[in-house]
Amino acid sequence: MAKTIVGLDIGFSSIKVVALSHDSGKYKLVSLGSISAPRPGIISDADLDLEAVAVAIKKLLTAAKIDQREIITALPESKVFTRVIDDLPYLTDKELASAIRYAAEEFIPMSMADVNLNWQVLLRSDNKDKNTKTVVLVIASPKNVVNKYIKVLTMANLRPKALETEIIAVTRSLVGNNPFSPSTLIIQLGGTTTDYAAVSRGLIWLTRSISTGGMALTRALAQHFNFELSQAEEYKRVYGLVEDQLEGKVFDALHPIVDIIAQESKRIIQAFQTKYPQNSIKRVVLSGGGAKMPGLVIYLANALGLEVQEADPWYQIIKEKSLASRLAQDASSYSAAVGLALRED
Ligand SMILES: Nc1ncnc2c1ncn2[C@@H]1O[C@H](COP(=O)(O)OP(=O)(O)OP(=O)(O)O)[C@@H](O)[C@H]1O
Ligand SMILES: [Mg+2]
């Protein structure tokens, strides 16, 4: 029996929703939509601002004709602590739980009482021999952040079936759990942050979030030309990093910010190479609203010396032909929402 799963991505720039029907391993697009996020939006702690986010979510779901009340949503990468712990020996489930708790205290700058701890075993030897190993991806979500998202959803008359992190959802839609896909660096260029995941054999081995995103690019242009933000936004979308436009002036203003994003990519690729020398990153997938900036794919390919592709979260989804061009247009913005809707129970 087909059932419909709804993924809701509450971004700082825009809110996106995707509904997919699941039927024996096949996924079909039921509905999608996006709406501008109110300001200051979900970043605020004031009830009035959160209420505005809830109103926007309700509007979006109505426009997309989605009446399910149970949805899956994501916490922003910048608000959760994610770490791969790879220095553990073989452990039973019970031993593992306490070892993770112990290890987590080192990388979480908060009291353990204030976070929800989740983990996924990436690798585990099957016995207690010498040289055995357990590798786990640990995610610690501050309870106050979780509670805020639940509050907004409740205001919008929704119930979260599951809460993930943005990069986990993005990884699901872009790489899936295909153990044969080449090791990949996902760069998710959102409005406020750029999030990264190094993915190998369908699993996440390294994540990172930096506070340089699409808004930083717009601000740099606004400053350089003394523009209003709205005009800078337009120039960014039209000219981007194409060097031979407007005598290279837009390029000059944007590339120092893009270089921050590229530098961090290099660091991650190197760190991954050092840790897993037999398994280096072979390609980069560029996702998020910022992936559409003209010239960015080529600029990053040159900077990193790797193949760079623009994200297509729709590749494994069955959809009507008439929708194809509309979906292709801002495909990279929907990576997180599609990934959330792809989640199995
Ligand atoms: N064609 C384009 N060229 C360049 N940038 C673009 C284009 N379209 C959208 N963007 C940028 O993408 C960003 C929004 O991306 P996205 O929708 O992934 O963010 P978000 O999920 O709302 O934000 P966050 O993940 O930080 O909460 C904005 O900064 C916007 O300027
Ligand atoms: Mg986002």
Side-chain angles (χ1 to χ4, degrees):
M1 245 276 289
K3 57 177 176 184
T4 299
I5 309 279
V6 180
L8 180 69
D9 173 17
I10 311 172
F12 292 110
S13 301
S14 67
I15 305 168
K16 302 92 169 162
V17 70
V18 169
L20 298 177
S21 83
H22 289 218
D23 195 357
S24 15
K26 292 208 166 68
Y27 309 101
K28 191 161 176 260
L29 177 60
V30 176
S31 179
L32 82 159
S34 84
I35 190 170
S36 277
R39 294 278 144 84
I42 193 100
I43 226 163
S44 166
D45 284 315
D47 276 356
L48 215 62
D49 297 327
L50 298 181
E51 189 67 58
V53 177
V55 168
I57 292 173
K58 279 192 201 161
K59 233 192 207 167
L60 172 63
L61 295 190
T62 306
K65 300 195 171 68
I66 292 172
D67 50 21
Q68 273 89 346
R69 294 293 105 197
E70 275 208 323
I71 55 101
I72 301 179
T73 196
L75 300 176
E77 217 47 47
S78 54
K79 298 276 184 272
V80 297
F81 306 99
T82 308
R83 187 68 67 89
V84 171
I85 299 176
D86 60 1
D87 56 358
L88 301 171
Y90 171 87
L91 296 168
T92 64
D93 282 345
K94 206 170 154 209
E95 290 166 337
L96 187 60
S98 64
I100 287 171
R101 228 155 246 295
Y102 187 74
E105 277 176 17
E106 291 203 354
F107 75 87
I108 300 166
M110 293 178 74
S111 154
M112 293 298 288
D114 296 333
V115 299
N116 292 340
L117 212 53
N118 289 291
W119 61 85
Q120 180 191 0
V121 176
L122 299 180
L123 188 156
R124 185 189 215 164
S125 324
D126 22 68
N127 54 44
K128 277 205 178 226
D129 282 348
K130 268 190 290 174
N131 302 326
T132 59
K133 218 171 145 129
T134 306
V135 183
V136 272
L137 173 71
V138 179
I139 299 138
S141 316
K143 286 180 182 166
N144 60 347
V145 177
V146 173
N147 290 341
K148 178 157 92 175
Y149 277 72
I150 291 176
K151 189 175 191 176
V152 170
L153 295 174
T154 309
M155 285 171 168
N157 205 7
L158 298 171
R159 286 185 304 276
K161 203 168 152 189
L163 269 179
E164 296 200 301
T165 76
E166 200 172 338
I167 203 73
I168 288 177
V170 167
T171 301
R172 186 178 299 120
S173 69
L174 300 183
V175 185
N177 48 15
N178 181 356
F180 301 109
S181 56
S183 298
T184 302
L185 176 68
I186 294 176
I187 306 179
Q188 165 80 3
L189 215 179
T192 49
T193 63
T194 300
D195 305 328
Y196 301 85
V199 184
S200 182
R201 282 172 270 142
L203 301 168
I204 297 176
W205 298 84
L206 223 160
T207 69
R208 194 97 171 95
S209 176
I210 61 169
S211 58
T212 303
M215 252 128 74
L217 291 166
T218 305
R219 272 198 303 271
L221 267 188
Q223 251 169 29
H224 195 88
F225 291 103
N226 211 0
F227 278 167
E228 295 284 332
L229 284 176
S230 57
Q231 193 177 6
E233 180 74 27
E234 203 183 314
Y235 269 59
K236 177 177 85 170
R237 292 182 186 213
V238 173
Y239 300 113
L241 279 176
V242 181
E243 252 185 298
D244 57 5
Q245 295 279 342
L246 299 184
E247 299 160 19
K249 283 184 188 144
V250 177
F251 176 88
D252 288 345
L254 289 177
H255 89 81
I257 311 294
V258 175
D259 287 344
I260 296 173
I261 294 167
Q263 271 307 328
E264 194 58 41
S265 311
K266 278 188 198 161
R267 255 183 240 135
I268 294 166
I269 291 166
Q270 261 156 25
F272 188 75
Q273 165 93 40
T274 309
K275 262 200 157 155
Y276 310 102
Q278 69 289 50
N279 200 3
S280 57
I281 299 284
K282 298 285 188 310
R283 61 164 185 170
V284 174
V285 177
L286 183 59
S287 174
K292 286 170 290 178
M293 189 161 77
L296 183 58
V297 165
I298 293 172
Y299 187 87
L300 285 176
N302 287 332
L304 304 176
L306 286 171
E307 178 200 345
V308 180
Q309 303 168 351
E310 203 177 309
D312 178 17
W314 301 114
Y315 81 98
Q316 52 182 328
I317 315 287
I318 304 163
K319 57 251 166 196
E320 273 164 36
K321 280 220 175 67
S322 58
L323 278 175
S325 72
R326 182 178 158 213
L327 293 183
Q329 207 171 27
D330 45 16
S332 64
S333 303
Y334 281 95
S335 304
V338 173
L340 291 167
L342 278 171
R343 186 184 155 115
E344 305 285 341
D345 289 328

